[in-house]
Amino acid sequence: MTDQKTDYRLLLTAAMGVFVIAVMCWGVYGMIRDMNQTETVQTEQTKVKKQKKTDKKLDENALITNLLKTVAFETELKKLDDSVAGGMIATEEGTKLQVYMGNGSYADEIIVMTAENEKAAQTNQENAKTHLDEMETMFRDYIPKEAKKIENAVRVRCGCYVIVCVTSDTDTAKKVIDAAIDQ
């Protein structure tokens, strides 16, 4: 009699485990689906730095390396594969997109978009805002602290470049980005 009770408990525990995994998979699927849906984009009030020279080039890789070294992130950020990044954030044709993210429990993120012209960069800026709005909505219900971090993200458009840094260390991120732009 005792062996049958143990077997039922084991089966019940296994069934509950399968249920929890299924719910988690469903949640991840919903997040990815929501991130890929397009919304009407409203123009955002974002800091736009004036370039001293129209032909000025920003070293995106040096900027990202400096952000990763200098800014305090709550998780280790890793570069997303280009196809994954492109599926998360819409960009204008010809835009080079680099996205660094941590694990799903943290909103920390670096986005650098390099467009072919300023008009494309303006559209990329709106697309970055849409991405952040979608992320903020997802985090608001589950981890409100992370949603606040997204709301306060550093967002800069300079010429053909759009730079976004989601971190609680916004002062340092602003300094690093401003220094890279002013070089």
Side-chain angles (χ1 to χ4, degrees):
M1 191 70 141
T2 308
D3 290 332
Q4 286 181 340
K5 286 183 181 180
T6 304
D7 290 341
Y8 288 124
R9 287 182 185 160
L10 182 61
L11 286 173
L12 182 59
T13 303
M16 289 174 51
V18 169
F19 177 74
V20 168
I21 290 170
V23 169
M24 288 175 58
C25 290
W26 177 69
V28 169
Y29 169 76
M31 281 184 3
I32 292 170
R33 184 191 64 224
D34 290 345
M35 288 186 339
N36 288 327
Q37 289 178 345
T38 56
E39 293 179 0
T40 305
V41 179
Q42 299 175 355
T43 307
E44 70 177 338
Q45 297 296 325
T46 300
K47 178 179 174 186
V48 178
K49 288 217 151 219
K50 299 289 182 195
Q51 290 181 326
K52 294 176 184 170
K53 299 178 190 174
T54 57
D55 61 343
K56 181 177 178 180
K57 299 286 183 199
L58 177 70
D59 185 347
E60 304 102 322
N61 294 327
L63 169 62
I64 291 168
T65 300
N66 202 10
L67 284 168
L68 291 170
K69 280 186 192 175
T70 311
V71 176
F73 293 102
E74 293 182 44
T75 185
E76 181 183 356
L77 301 186
K78 295 184 181 182
K79 185 175 187 201
L80 295 184
D81 186 71
D82 292 344
S83 62
V84 174
M88 288 177 51
I89 306 169
T91 59
E92 284 293 286
E93 188 171 329
T95 297
K96 178 182 175 187
L97 173 64
Q98 296 185 68
V99 178
Y100 287 73
M101 284 183 132
N103 68 39
S105 300
Y106 297 96
D108 295 23
E109 185 174 71
I110 298 171
I111 301 169
V112 177
M113 299 171 154
T114 307
E116 292 180 340
N117 55 56
E118 285 195 46
K119 184 177 181 194
Q122 289 172 343
T123 302
N124 287 338
Q125 179 182 11
E126 293 169 3
N127 292 338
K129 180 187 181 322
T130 298
H131 166 72
L132 291 174
D133 289 346
E134 290 170 351
M135 278 187 48
E136 186 178 349
T137 299
M138 285 187 303
F139 275 105
R140 190 176 302 124
D141 293 333
Y142 300 105
I143 310 172
K145 175 184 151 198
E146 295 299 309
K148 188 72 174 166
K149 202 187 302 184
I150 297 167
E151 182 182 320
N152 296 327
V154 178
R155 307 168 194 204
V156 177
R157 185 178 58 80
C158 177
C160 297
Y161 303 96
V162 174
I163 305 157
V164 177
C165 187
V166 179
T167 178
S168 54
D169 188 12
T170 56
D171 291 339
T172 305
K174 285 177 192 174
K175 288 176 188 174
V176 170
I177 293 168
D178 286 347
I181 291 171
D182 291 337
Q183 286 183 349

